[in-house]
Amino acid sequence: MVDVLPLVEARLSTALGRPDARAAVTFLGTDRIEVLRFQEGDIVRYATLGMSAHPMTDPTAMLADPVKGPRAELVLSVRAGLAETDKVLRPLAVLGASPQVEGVVVAPGASLDVGEPLWPGAPFSSVLVAEPGGLVEDLELGEPMDPVRFLPLLPMTPNEAAWKRVHGAQALQERWLTSGTDLRDPARRSVPLD
């Protein structure tokens, strides 16, 4: 078996630079999830490390395949210095552990909710999982293993999350685009949804 996590960390460092901080969270009955912080100018990025150690398994599958299946890590980008965004570490680790804890397969277009603000005073408690491949390239692991995909997270206000459930992820992303929404602003307001 390939030890995936050193390869994942190397890919993150190649794409984002050296992490300037890291924290680890272990939930009962799960593997440890680390969150790495990368600072680049006025943008700070947080990336999970540990979610891709095992493939995600469809909750309806009878047996979990220890080799085949989608693998992913999560990446959140926000503007630095505008909010206490370093407090996102635990909520992000919770999201990174969700495939192990809840048996979910995290994929683009999905909504993930932590049930509380992502950081103190944040107008967001959920995120939209965006398409991978822009910021950090997929990490090929070789057959028969699936590649590790680095999934960007886009914070959503409660109104945006509700609107997305009705209209879909694509419609919400188009609304953000036409409104010129700065999705990295940690204190932004909800996009107009009328």
Side-chain angles (χ1 to χ4, degrees):
M1 283 288 281
V2 176
D3 189 0
V4 173
L5 298 185
L7 301 174
V8 170
E9 185 168 357
R11 174 58 53 95
L12 285 166
S13 294
T14 299
L16 306 176
R18 293 182 58 89
D20 66 354
R22 63 194 317 140
V25 179
T26 305
F27 302 97
L28 189 62
T30 67
D31 292 337
R32 177 172 124 142
I33 301 286
E34 285 189 87
V35 178
L36 310 181
R37 185 181 72 187
F38 302 87
Q39 184 92 36
E40 182 185 332
D42 70 335
I43 301 294
V44 62
R45 293 188 170 91
Y46 303 94
T48 60
L49 179 63
M51 184 175 163
S52 63
H54 306 286
M56 294 181 275
T57 304
D58 183 333
T60 61
M62 294 296 279
L63 289 171
D65 189 319
V67 178
K68 291 183 181 177
R71 294 174 189 259
E73 296 291 353
L74 308 174
V75 181
L76 174 70
S77 300
V78 292
R79 294 206 181 285
L82 302 175
E84 291 183 79
T85 56
D86 280 353
K87 304 277 173 124
V88 78
L89 301 179
R90 185 168 175 74
L92 203 50
V94 167
L95 296 178
S98 61
Q100 290 180 62
V101 174
E102 299 172 21
V104 297
V105 175
V106 178
S111 299
L112 303 174
D113 196 319
V114 294
E116 62 186 28
L118 292 176
W119 51 82
F124 321 105
S125 63
S126 63
V127 292
L128 174 65
V129 181
E131 290 291 334
L135 191 59
V136 184
E137 285 184 39
D138 292 354
L139 173 64
E140 297 293 335
L141 298 174
E143 291 294 330
M145 299 170 79
D146 288 23
V148 177
R149 302 170 83 198
F150 297 88
L151 302 171
L153 301 180
L154 308 175
M156 293 187 292
T157 66
N159 285 347
E160 290 169 340
W163 197 85
K164 182 254 175 192
R165 281 191 293 277
V166 173
H167 299 280
Q170 185 65 39
L172 179 58
Q173 288 178 303
E174 287 171 11
R175 185 64 60 111
W176 281 334
L177 193 60
T178 56
S179 296
T181 305
D182 180 2
L183 295 173
R184 294 176 177 167
D185 180 351
R188 73 172 179 83
R189 298 188 184 281
S190 182
V191 70
L193 298 169
D194 48 336

